[in-house]
Amino acid sequence: DVKVTQSSRYLVKRTGEKVFLECVQDMDHENMFWYRQDPGLGLRLIYFSYDVKMKEKGDIPEGYSVSREKKERFSLILESASTNQTSMYLCASSFVAGGGQETQYFGPGTRLLVL
Amino acid sequence: AQSVTQLDSQVPVFEEAPVELRCNYSSSVSVYLFWYVQYPNQGLQLLLKYLSGSTLVKGINGFEAEFNKSQTSFHLRKPSVHISDTAEYFCAVRESGGYQKVTFGTGTKLQVIP
């Protein structure tokens, strides 16, 4: 079974703090993704990576950065947390099946509250 | 650019009744279509996907979906729901080829009433 783990289920931070969210997958997947999930808005892609040290902006990258130094690990960084970044953050991974057929496997999510 | 619309944000249905969750997409090229389910306090997991071939796709837990190209729809159905089907369901679309991203709908919360 594919396993995607996220470092925290719940996180409370203060405005202006630097926040690290970590994601690890154990299936040697090339692709990894970070989404945020908000009520009524569904999932929105923040960043994705299709290889080590590679990253691509998604739909809402502002205020976020990412790091992928190892294939199994993809980190999301909030340089200076703001209250509008309070959300559920979901990490996903997939292997390259060719042409977009791949299934994404999701972690359990991190619920972040910024005060 | 691709987009996906889930017309219903919430769908209440009695246990053992049939249900249909609607999904429409927009794209100028061929697409792959997915339905994911999210149980409370969990991440998403794949229910089923349409890649090509037969337009009727069967997934896990008795769900099925039908791809209708002329109506650009991919509605999800189950003939008899259980309490355990209470969850949020997301339709997703991806244009075939390359590193195209997946676009998710806004989700439909299915509430099964005993």
Side-chain angles (χ1 to χ4, degrees), chain A residues 52-110:
Chain A
V52 176
K53 297 192 186 295
M54 304 298 287
K55 60 184 178 183
E56 294 284 342
K57 292 181 180 179
D59 297 318
I60 51 164
E62 296 78 19
Y64 303 94
S65 62
V66 291
S67 172
R68 192 161 181 206
E69 296 297 319
K70 293 185 177 181
K71 192 175 185 180
E72 67 272 17
R73 190 179 298 268
F74 192 35
S75 301
L76 179 69
I77 304 150
L78 287 64
E79 295 290 342
S80 176
S82 64
T83 55
N84 63 13
Q85 292 178 309
T86 290
S87 187
M88 168 74 96
Y89 290 88
L90 291 167
C91 174
S93 73
S94 69
F95 67 93
V96 178
Q101 301 179 20
E102 59 267 21
T103 298
Q104 292 193 18
Y105 295 87
F106 284 82
T110 295

Side-chain angles (χ1 to χ4, degrees), chain A residues 9-10 31 35 37 40-43 45 48 50 59 88 90 96 98-104 106-109 111, chain B residues 32 34 36 38 41-46 49 51 88 90 94-107:
Chain A
R9 292 300 303 272
Y10 301 94
N31 302 327
Y35 295 90
Q37 181 181 10
L41 297 177
L43 275 71
L45 182 64
F48 67 101
Y50 52 86
D59 297 318
M88 168 74 96
L90 291 167
V96 178
Q101 301 179 20
E102 59 267 21
T103 298
Q104 292 193 18
F106 284 82
R111 196 170 289 279
Chain B
Y32 301 126
F34 307 81
Y36 284 84
Q38 185 180 33
N41 298 315
Q42 295 185 25
L44 280 69
Q45 58 181 277
L46 183 72
K49 59 183 176 182
L51 304 179
E88 190 159 17
F90 292 91
R94 177 179 166 147
E95 293 175 349
S96 60
Y99 290 107
Q100 300 296 329
K101 66 182 179 69
V102 175
T103 299
F104 286 84
T106 52

Side-chain angles (χ1 to χ4, degrees), chain A residues 5-47:
Chain A
T5 57
Q6 295 183 228
S7 50
S8 305
R9 292 300 303 272
Y10 301 94
L11 213 50
V12 180
K13 296 292 181 181
R14 296 211 174 270
T15 302
E17 279 192 78
K18 191 168 185 175
V19 181
F20 292 87
L21 303 182
E22 292 205 321
C23 175
V24 178
Q25 49 94 3
D26 66 358
M27 283 300 290
D28 203 35
H29 285 173
E30 291 88 355
N31 302 327
M32 295 189 76
F33 309 83
W34 274 106
Y35 295 90
R36 62 177 283 176
Q37 181 181 10
D38 300 288
L41 297 177
L43 275 71
R44 292 179 291 167
L45 182 64
I46 304 171
Y47 269 96

Side-chain angles (χ1 to χ4, degrees), chain B:
Chain B
Q2 65 200 26
S3 66
V4 59
T5 301
Q6 291 184 248
L7 297 167
D8 305 302
S9 59
Q10 293 189 66
V11 173
V13 62
F14 286 107
E15 193 174 15
E16 297 184 6
V19 70
E20 178 180 85
L21 305 183
R22 296 181 292 170
C23 172
N24 287 89
Y25 70 93
S26 173
S27 175
S28 57
V29 300
S30 60
V31 296
Y32 301 126
L33 294 156
F34 307 81
W35 275 100
Y36 284 84
V37 60
Q38 185 180 33
Y39 298 106
N41 298 315
Q42 295 185 25
L44 280 69
Q45 58 181 277
L46 183 72
L47 264 183
L48 49 79
K49 59 183 176 182
Y50 171 78
L51 304 179
S52 63
S54 173
T55 57
L56 184 63
V57 181
K58 293 190 184 297
I60 61 172
N61 301 338
F63 284 92
E64 63 182 32
E66 185 154 19
F67 170 58
N68 187 319
K69 190 174 181 180
S70 62
Q71 296 186 3
T72 60
S73 68
F74 190 55
H75 300 331
L76 182 70
R77 301 186 183 101
K78 187 170 183 178
S80 175
V81 296
H82 302 287
I83 292 289
S84 58
D85 294 323
T86 295
E88 190 159 17
Y89 294 79
F90 292 91
C91 182
V93 63
R94 177 179 166 147
E95 293 175 349
S96 60
Y99 290 107
Q100 300 296 329
K101 66 182 179 69
V102 175
T103 299
F104 286 84
T106 52
T108 298
K109 288 185 178 176
L110 174 64
Q111 183 184 4
V112 180
I113 304 163

